[in-house]
Structures are given as structure tokens and as C-alpha cells.
Amino acid sequence: MAAIRMSNNVIIAANLVTLLLSVPVLIAGVWLRSRADGAECDRLVSTPAIALGAALMATSLAGLVGACCRATWLIWLHLLAMLALLVALLCFAAFAFVVTSGRRGGGGAGEGEDTSSGAGIRVYRLGDYSTWLRRRVEGDKNWARIRSCLADAGVCKRLKGDNKKAQLVAGGMSPVESGCCRPPASCNFTYAGVGEWARPAGRVAPSASADPDCGKWDNDEDKLCYGCQSCKAAVVGALRRDWRRAAIVGVVFLAFILVVYSVGCCAFRNSRRDNYAYHSSRGWKRSGDA
């Protein structure tokens, strides 16, 4: 019986650790959904994070209750749920690495490329990212929702004011701020103060520029460059960055859950074996006494 209690204690300890880890995962998912960075507008990262946290919490509670109450059927259910979670995490991590592997060149935290005309200003191009991520953003219906979310979230409001001129002109912005809150550096617009930009003198038809985004810029804070390709590419870049981070976290959790699952299986197997040996021994003794 001591061995059975030891097996239960191992299962309890492993699931207690998993339960504690599920809390920061849930918190991270909620934070990703609530932050004003633009990437949360598509909820491609926050939803899996919340789902992972909830699944970890549910399976851990099942394992804890099953071990504490010695409910074999609940431990079986816990192990099956852990196996399903392992497969789901493996598929997610593999898929995330595939869809974030479309980047060609460039680098840095913002995933954009520095331009020769704007020091520190990064350029974002849709062609640099995977087709799946681009389709999640480029479609008219999806972009209308994301664009509305960007405007409602006020991602560009923190750049308002003359004291933000250095950031707007020289960089130091997030991907979404750089792609959506200022005209592309190639347009050679001049910062006029309080978040407004002036077109180059003498340019009558800015839409004829080599960069079509130059004609889409509007100083209206509800429009800005939200209709620009650079803005769409910046949102895709932010999504790619978050998905790559999520893939790395997924691999770490995959390894950890694999260890917990292996320990749980071994403990459960030992518990069944010791339980069988214990009852067989008691049966043998009773028959011998008779």
C-alpha cells in the first residue's frame, strides 16, 4: 500500500505543478487579447493561449482529484486528456513554425527591414510573409475588422504631440506604429507637428508615386495609413512575431507535459501492479487460512 500511496503522491505533485503553470498561461492569453498592439485584433495568438491554459487547468484538476480520491476512471480520463493535449501541442508548434517561416531577409524585433532613406524606420512588405498569415489579414472582410479594431484601440494615439517627433521621424516604434501611424519613408513626407505630415512641395498627384501607399495617407487620426499595404504588412509582421514566440513556448510546454505524462503513466502502471499484487496476496492468505 505504501507503493500505491507513493504513486498517488507522484501524480499529485506532477499535476500540482501543471496546475500552477496553467495560471500564467491563462493570464498571458488574456493580456495578449487586451493589449493595444494591433496583433490582438485578429486573436490568432491569444485564443490558443487561453485554450491551452484552460486545457492544462482542467486536465490537472482531473489528475489531482483522481489521485486524491483514488478514482481510477478519473486518472484514466486525465491521461487520455494529457495525450490529446500532447498531440494538439505538437501539431500547433509544427504549424506555427511553418506559417512563420516565410520571412525572407531583414530581421530584428520588428521583423522589418531598415530603409536607406529613414534611419531606424522599418519597411514591411506582405510578400515577406507566409501565404496563410497574409490571407488572415489581406481579405477585405478580415481587414475591415482589423482596421476598425486598430482605430478603436488607438494604437497611434501615444505618438501624438510634438514631444514624439523624434520617434516618428527616427523610428523606435512598434511594427504596427511604424506601418500604420506614419507615411512610408519612401514618400518623403515632412513632419508638420502634432501627428500631421505634409506632402512634398509641388506634388499634385501623390498617387502616381512609385509607392501607392503615399496616396493613401490621411492626417485624419481615424484613417492615417490604415488603408496602406505597409500597415497590413506590419500587422502580419506583428502576428508572425507573436506566433513564433507562441511556437517556442509551445515546444517548451510540449517537453514539460511529455515528462508529466510519462511520470503519470509510470505511476499509474505501478499503482495498478502494486494494487493487483496486494489483493492477490490477501486472497492467497485467506485461502491458506481456510
Side-chain angles (χ1 to χ4, degrees):
M1 291 299 291
I4 297 175
R5 287 195 295 270
M6 179 62 70
S7 297
N8 283 340
N9 290 338
V10 170
I11 295 175
I12 290 172
N15 283 283
L16 185 59
V17 174
T18 309
L19 179 63
L20 292 176
L21 283 176
S22 69
V23 176
V25 175
L26 273 173
I27 293 174
V30 174
W31 174 77
L32 283 170
R33 178 161 295 194
S34 62
R35 65 182 178 150
D37 185 34
E40 85 284 355
C41 290
D42 199 76
R43 297 182 177 179
L44 276 176
V45 181
S46 60
T47 299
I50 293 174
L52 173 62
L56 280 175
M57 185 172 290
T59 53
S60 300
L61 286 173
L64 283 172
V65 174
C68 291
C69 300
R70 296 182 183 177
T72 304
W73 69 270
L74 200 53
I75 296 179
W76 264 115
L77 181 63
H78 159 71
L79 292 176
L80 287 174
M82 289 289 282
L83 180 60
L85 188 58
L86 278 172
V87 174
L89 269 177
L90 179 62
C91 294
F92 170 77
F95 179 74
F97 276 115
V98 169
V99 300
T100 58
S101 63
R103 176 71 190 153
R104 300 192 299 270
E111 302 294 345
E113 295 179 348
D114 288 330
T115 65
S116 58
S117 58
I121 302 299
R122 293 189 177 276
V123 173
Y124 301 88
R125 301 182 180 89
L126 284 168
D128 291 336
Y129 304 102
S130 69
T131 302
W132 186 83
L133 279 177
R134 287 162 50 193
R135 285 177 178 172
R136 290 291 306 181
V137 172
E138 278 188 290
D140 293 339
K141 184 177 180 180
N142 288 337
W143 182 247
R145 176 173 50 82
I146 294 173
R147 176 174 178 165
S148 176
C149 176
L150 290 172
D152 292 341
V155 295
C156 299
K157 286 183 178 179
R158 80 175 191 88
L159 298 174
K160 296 284 286 185
D162 290 330
N163 60 328
K164 298 296 183 179
K165 178 179 179 180
Q167 255 185 307
L168 283 163
V169 175
M173 297 172 284
S174 72
V176 173
E177 288 173 344
S178 180
C180 306
C181 302
R182 54 157 289 143
S186 60
C187 298
N188 296 319
F189 282 24
T190 304
Y191 185 69
V194 199
E196 296 204 359
W197 295 78
R199 302 181 186 277
R203 179 168 294 182
V204 179
S207 59
S209 167
D211 189 345
D213 283 351
C214 298
K216 295 178 181 178
W217 168 261
D218 194 308
N219 284 318
D220 187 335
E221 64 178 14
D222 291 329
K223 298 179 180 179
L224 301 179
C225 218
Y226 293 146
C228 300
Q229 291 295 101
S230 63
C231 185
K232 295 180 181 180
V235 172
V236 177
L239 285 174
R240 180 191 182 276
R241 175 201 61 196
D242 288 347
W243 267 69
R244 177 56 63 93
R245 291 174 180 173
I248 295 172
V249 172
V251 170
V252 173
F253 268 94
L254 180 65
F256 175 78
I257 294 174
L258 182 60
V259 172
V260 173
Y261 178 74
S262 300
V263 169
C265 285
C266 291
F268 183 65
R269 183 185 61 191
N270 293 338
S271 178
R272 285 176 59 87
R273 182 188 61 196
D274 295 336
N275 192 32
Y276 176 77
Y278 173 77
H279 287 293
S280 297
S281 176
R282 284 176 60 88
W284 178 81
K285 286 181 180 179
R286 282 196 298 269
S287 62
D289 292 338

PDB file of all heavy atoms in Angstrom, residues 228-248:
ATOM      1  N   CYS A 228      -3.109  51.412 -45.990  1.00  0.00           N
ATOM      2  CA  CYS A 228      -1.845  51.168 -46.703  1.00  0.00           C
ATOM      3  C   CYS A 228      -1.437  49.690 -46.646  1.00  0.00           C
ATOM      4  O   CYS A 228      -1.735  48.983 -45.682  1.00  0.00           O
ATOM      5  CB  CYS A 228      -0.725  52.009 -46.097  1.00  0.00           C
ATOM      6  SG  CYS A 228      -1.010  53.797 -46.167  1.00  0.00           S
ATOM      7  N   GLN A 229      -0.720  49.274 -47.681  1.00  0.00           N
ATOM      8  CA  GLN A 229      -0.155  47.929 -47.693  1.00  0.00           C
ATOM      9  C   GLN A 229       0.873  47.774 -46.583  1.00  0.00           C
ATOM     10  O   GLN A 229       1.028  46.694 -46.014  1.00  0.00           O
ATOM     11  CB  GLN A 229       0.494  47.643 -49.051  1.00  0.00           C
ATOM     12  CG  GLN A 229      -0.496  47.509 -50.200  1.00  0.00           C
ATOM     13  CD  GLN A 229      -1.396  46.298 -50.038  1.00  0.00           C
ATOM     14  OE1 GLN A 229      -2.555  46.416 -49.627  1.00  0.00           O
ATOM     15  NE2 GLN A 229      -0.863  45.127 -50.349  1.00  0.00           N
ATOM     16  N   SER A 230       1.583  48.872 -46.276  1.00  0.00           N
ATOM     17  CA  SER A 230       2.590  48.818 -45.215  1.00  0.00           C
ATOM     18  C   SER A 230       1.945  48.525 -43.865  1.00  0.00           C
ATOM     19  O   SER A 230       2.538  47.853 -43.011  1.00  0.00           O
ATOM     20  CB  SER A 230       3.359  50.134 -45.149  1.00  0.00           C
ATOM     21  OG  SER A 230       2.501  51.211 -44.800  1.00  0.00           O
ATOM     22  N   CYS A 231       0.721  49.017 -43.658  1.00  0.00           N
ATOM     23  CA  CYS A 231       0.014  48.764 -42.403  1.00  0.00           C
ATOM     24  C   CYS A 231      -0.393  47.301 -42.314  1.00  0.00           C
ATOM     25  O   CYS A 231      -0.220  46.659 -41.268  1.00  0.00           O
ATOM     26  CB  CYS A 231      -1.211  49.673 -42.311  1.00  0.00           C
ATOM     27  SG  CYS A 231      -2.107  49.571 -40.739  1.00  0.00           S
ATOM     28  N   LYS A 232      -0.934  46.773 -43.406  1.00  0.00           N
ATOM     29  CA  LYS A 232      -1.303  45.356 -43.427  1.00  0.00           C
ATOM     30  C   LYS A 232      -0.086  44.478 -43.179  1.00  0.00           C
ATOM     31  O   LYS A 232      -0.136  43.510 -42.407  1.00  0.00           O
ATOM     32  CB  LYS A 232      -1.943  44.996 -44.770  1.00  0.00           C
ATOM     33  CG  LYS A 232      -3.269  45.690 -45.045  1.00  0.00           C
ATOM     34  CD  LYS A 232      -3.825  45.273 -46.401  1.00  0.00           C
ATOM     35  CE  LYS A 232      -5.146  45.976 -46.698  1.00  0.00           C
ATOM     36  NZ  LYS A 232      -5.704  45.587 -48.010  1.00  0.00           N
ATOM     37  N   ALA A 233       1.033  44.817 -43.845  1.00  0.00           N
ATOM     38  CA  ALA A 233       2.251  44.023 -43.683  1.00  0.00           C
ATOM     39  C   ALA A 233       2.775  44.114 -42.254  1.00  0.00           C
ATOM     40  O   ALA A 233       3.303  43.139 -41.715  1.00  0.00           O
ATOM     41  CB  ALA A 233       3.315  44.503 -44.671  1.00  0.00           C
ATOM     42  N   ALA A 234       2.630  45.292 -41.626  1.00  0.00           N
ATOM     43  CA  ALA A 234       3.093  45.455 -40.249  1.00  0.00           C
ATOM     44  C   ALA A 234       2.266  44.601 -39.293  1.00  0.00           C
ATOM     45  O   ALA A 234       2.806  44.005 -38.349  1.00  0.00           O
ATOM     46  CB  ALA A 234       3.018  46.925 -39.841  1.00  0.00           C
ATOM     47  N   VAL A 235       0.952  44.533 -39.531  1.00  0.00           N
ATOM     48  CA  VAL A 235       0.099  43.689 -38.701  1.00  0.00           C
ATOM     49  C   VAL A 235       0.481  42.223 -38.884  1.00  0.00           C
ATOM     50  O   VAL A 235       0.562  41.460 -37.911  1.00  0.00           O
ATOM     51  CB  VAL A 235      -1.393  43.900 -39.052  1.00  0.00           C
ATOM     52  CG1 VAL A 235      -2.273  42.883 -38.327  1.00  0.00           C
ATOM     53  CG2 VAL A 235      -1.820  45.313 -38.666  1.00  0.00           C
ATOM     54  N   VAL A 236       0.744  41.816 -40.134  1.00  0.00           N
ATOM     55  CA  VAL A 236       1.189  40.444 -40.389  1.00  0.00           C
ATOM     56  C   VAL A 236       2.521  40.190 -39.686  1.00  0.00           C
ATOM     57  O   VAL A 236       2.755  39.124 -39.110  1.00  0.00           O
ATOM     58  CB  VAL A 236       1.319  40.172 -41.901  1.00  0.00           C
ATOM     59  CG1 VAL A 236       1.859  38.770 -42.149  1.00  0.00           C
ATOM     60  CG2 VAL A 236      -0.023  40.333 -42.594  1.00  0.00           C
ATOM     61  N   GLY A 237       3.416  41.199 -39.718  1.00  0.00           N
ATOM     62  CA  GLY A 237       4.696  41.069 -39.044  1.00  0.00           C
ATOM     63  C   GLY A 237       4.546  40.892 -37.545  1.00  0.00           C
ATOM     64  O   GLY A 237       5.249  40.089 -36.925  1.00  0.00           O
ATOM     65  N   ALA A 238       3.607  41.642 -36.952  1.00  0.00           N
ATOM     66  CA  ALA A 238       3.353  41.505 -35.517  1.00  0.00           C
ATOM     67  C   ALA A 238       2.774  40.130 -35.200  1.00  0.00           C
ATOM     68  O   ALA A 238       3.124  39.507 -34.187  1.00  0.00           O
ATOM     69  CB  ALA A 238       2.408  42.608 -35.050  1.00  0.00           C
ATOM     70  N   LEU A 239       1.881  39.651 -36.083  1.00  0.00           N
ATOM     71  CA  LEU A 239       1.312  38.319 -35.894  1.00  0.00           C
ATOM     72  C   LEU A 239       2.399  37.253 -35.998  1.00  0.00           C
ATOM     73  O   LEU A 239       2.439  36.307 -35.202  1.00  0.00           O
ATOM     74  CB  LEU A 239       0.227  38.055 -36.938  1.00  0.00           C
ATOM     75  CG  LEU A 239      -1.117  38.749 -36.742  1.00  0.00           C
ATOM     76  CD1 LEU A 239      -2.026  38.492 -37.932  1.00  0.00           C
ATOM     77  CD2 LEU A 239      -1.781  38.273 -35.457  1.00  0.00           C
ATOM     78  N   ARG A 240       3.278  37.414 -36.982  1.00  0.00           N
ATOM     79  CA  ARG A 240       4.364  36.443 -37.157  1.00  0.00           C
ATOM     80  C   ARG A 240       5.259  36.405 -35.924  1.00  0.00           C
ATOM     81  O   ARG A 240       5.647  35.335 -35.449  1.00  0.00           O
ATOM     82  CB  ARG A 240       5.198  36.800 -38.381  1.00  0.00           C
ATOM     83  CG  ARG A 240       6.355  35.824 -38.612  1.00  0.00           C
ATOM     84  CD  ARG A 240       7.319  36.352 -39.651  1.00  0.00           C
ATOM     85  NE  ARG A 240       8.375  35.397 -39.893  1.00  0.00           N
ATOM     86  CZ  ARG A 240       9.484  35.288 -39.162  1.00  0.00           C
ATOM     87  NH1 ARG A 240       9.659  36.093 -38.120  1.00  0.00           N
ATOM     88  NH2 ARG A 240      10.403  34.394 -39.444  1.00  0.00           N
ATOM     89  N   ARG A 241       5.581  37.579 -35.410  1.00  0.00           N
ATOM     90  CA  ARG A 241       6.424  37.652 -34.205  1.00  0.00           C
ATOM     91  C   ARG A 241       5.772  36.921 -33.042  1.00  0.00           C
ATOM     92  O   ARG A 241       6.418  36.123 -32.349  1.00  0.00           O
ATOM     93  CB  ARG A 241       6.638  39.123 -33.851  1.00  0.00           C
ATOM     94  CG  ARG A 241       7.396  39.373 -32.547  1.00  0.00           C
ATOM     95  CD  ARG A 241       7.104  40.762 -32.045  1.00  0.00           C
ATOM     96  NE  ARG A 241       5.675  40.949 -31.769  1.00  0.00           N
ATOM     97  CZ  ARG A 241       5.097  42.128 -31.621  1.00  0.00           C
ATOM     98  NH1 ARG A 241       5.801  43.235 -31.771  1.00  0.00           N
ATOM     99  NH2 ARG A 241       3.799  42.215 -31.365  1.00  0.00           N
ATOM    100  N   ASP A 242       4.468  37.161 -32.827  1.00  0.00           N
ATOM    101  CA  ASP A 242       3.779  36.537 -31.707  1.00  0.00           C
ATOM    102  C   ASP A 242       3.606  35.033 -31.914  1.00  0.00           C
ATOM    103  O   ASP A 242       3.685  34.251 -30.967  1.00  0.00           O
ATOM    104  CB  ASP A 242       2.412  37.200 -31.497  1.00  0.00           C
ATOM    105  CG  ASP A 242       2.542  38.601 -30.915  1.00  0.00           C
ATOM    106  OD1 ASP A 242       3.649  38.945 -30.447  1.00  0.00           O
ATOM    107  OD2 ASP A 242       1.555  39.356 -30.929  1.00  0.00           O
ATOM    108  N   TRP A 243       3.352  34.626 -33.175  1.00  0.00           N
ATOM    109  CA  TRP A 243       3.207  33.206 -33.447  1.00  0.00           C
ATOM    110  C   TRP A 243       4.530  32.474 -33.265  1.00  0.00           C
ATOM    111  O   TRP A 243       4.550  31.330 -32.809  1.00  0.00           O
ATOM    112  CB  TRP A 243       2.666  32.991 -34.866  1.00  0.00           C
ATOM    113  CG  TRP A 243       1.178  32.875 -34.865  1.00  0.00           C
ATOM    114  CD1 TRP A 243       0.278  33.854 -34.600  1.00  0.00           C
ATOM    115  CD2 TRP A 243       0.410  31.699 -35.130  1.00  0.00           C
ATOM    116  NE1 TRP A 243      -1.002  33.363 -34.677  1.00  0.00           N
ATOM    117  CE2 TRP A 243      -0.955  32.054 -35.012  1.00  0.00           C
ATOM    118  CE3 TRP A 243       0.735  30.396 -35.474  1.00  0.00           C
ATOM    119  CZ2 TRP A 243      -1.976  31.134 -35.199  1.00  0.00           C
ATOM    120  CZ3 TRP A 243      -0.290  29.481 -35.669  1.00  0.00           C
ATOM    121  CH2 TRP A 243      -1.638  29.844 -35.529  1.00  0.00           C
ATOM    122  N   ARG A 244       5.632  33.113 -33.640  1.00  0.00           N
ATOM    123  CA  ARG A 244       6.930  32.476 -33.437  1.00  0.00           C
ATOM    124  C   ARG A 244       7.208  32.307 -31.942  1.00  0.00           C
ATOM    125  O   ARG A 244       7.713  31.262 -31.510  1.00  0.00           O
ATOM    126  CB  ARG A 244       8.022  33.320 -34.114  1.00  0.00           C
ATOM    127  CG  ARG A 244       9.446  32.786 -33.919  1.00  0.00           C
ATOM    128  CD  ARG A 244       9.586  31.354 -34.384  1.00  0.00           C
ATOM    129  NE  ARG A 244       9.347  31.183 -35.794  1.00  0.00           N
ATOM    130  CZ  ARG A 244      10.319  31.208 -36.709  1.00  0.00           C
ATOM    131  NH1 ARG A 244      11.562  31.432 -36.349  1.00  0.00           N
ATOM    132  NH2 ARG A 244      10.022  30.999 -37.980  1.00  0.00           N
ATOM    133  N   ARG A 245       6.887  33.319 -31.158  1.00  0.00           N
ATOM    134  CA  ARG A 245       7.052  33.206 -29.705  1.00  0.00           C
ATOM    135  C   ARG A 245       6.149  32.113 -29.147  1.00  0.00           C
ATOM    136  O   ARG A 245       6.550  31.332 -28.273  1.00  0.00           O
ATOM    137  CB  ARG A 245       6.726  34.538 -29.040  1.00  0.00           C
ATOM    138  CG  ARG A 245       7.734  35.647 -29.329  1.00  0.00           C
ATOM    139  CD  ARG A 245       7.257  36.967 -28.765  1.00  0.00           C
ATOM    140  NE  ARG A 245       8.200  38.051 -29.026  1.00  0.00           N
ATOM    141  CZ  ARG A 245       7.966  39.329 -28.759  1.00  0.00           C
ATOM    142  NH1 ARG A 245       6.803  39.671 -28.217  1.00  0.00           N
ATOM    143  NH2 ARG A 245       8.869  40.251 -29.025  1.00  0.00           N
ATOM    144  N   ALA A 246       4.909  32.069 -29.651  1.00  0.00           N
ATOM    145  CA  ALA A 246       3.968  31.048 -29.182  1.00  0.00           C
ATOM    146  C   ALA A 246       4.462  29.652 -29.535  1.00  0.00           C
ATOM    147  O   ALA A 246       4.284  28.704 -28.758  1.00  0.00           O
ATOM    148  CB  ALA A 246       2.584  31.288 -29.793  1.00  0.00           C
ATOM    149  N   ALA A 247       5.088  29.509 -30.705  1.00  0.00           N
ATOM    150  CA  ALA A 247       5.612  28.209 -31.117  1.00  0.00           C
ATOM    151  C   ALA A 247       6.727  27.756 -30.181  1.00  0.00           C
ATOM    152  O   ALA A 247       6.795  26.582 -29.792  1.00  0.00           O
ATOM    153  CB  ALA A 247       6.132  28.285 -32.553  1.00  0.00           C
ATOM    154  N   ILE A 248       7.598  28.686 -29.793  1.00  0.00           N
ATOM    155  CA  ILE A 248       8.695  28.353 -28.885  1.00  0.00           C
ATOM    156  C   ILE A 248       8.150  27.956 -27.520  1.00  0.00           C
ATOM    157  O   ILE A 248       8.581  26.958 -26.921  1.00  0.00           O
ATOM    158  CB  ILE A 248       9.669  29.542 -28.761  1.00  0.00           C
ATOM    159  CG1 ILE A 248      10.349  29.801 -30.108  1.00  0.00           C
ATOM    160  CG2 ILE A 248      10.707  29.283 -27.687  1.00  0.00           C
ATOM    161  CD1 ILE A 248      11.185  31.061 -30.147  1.00  0.00           C
TER     162      ILE A 248
END
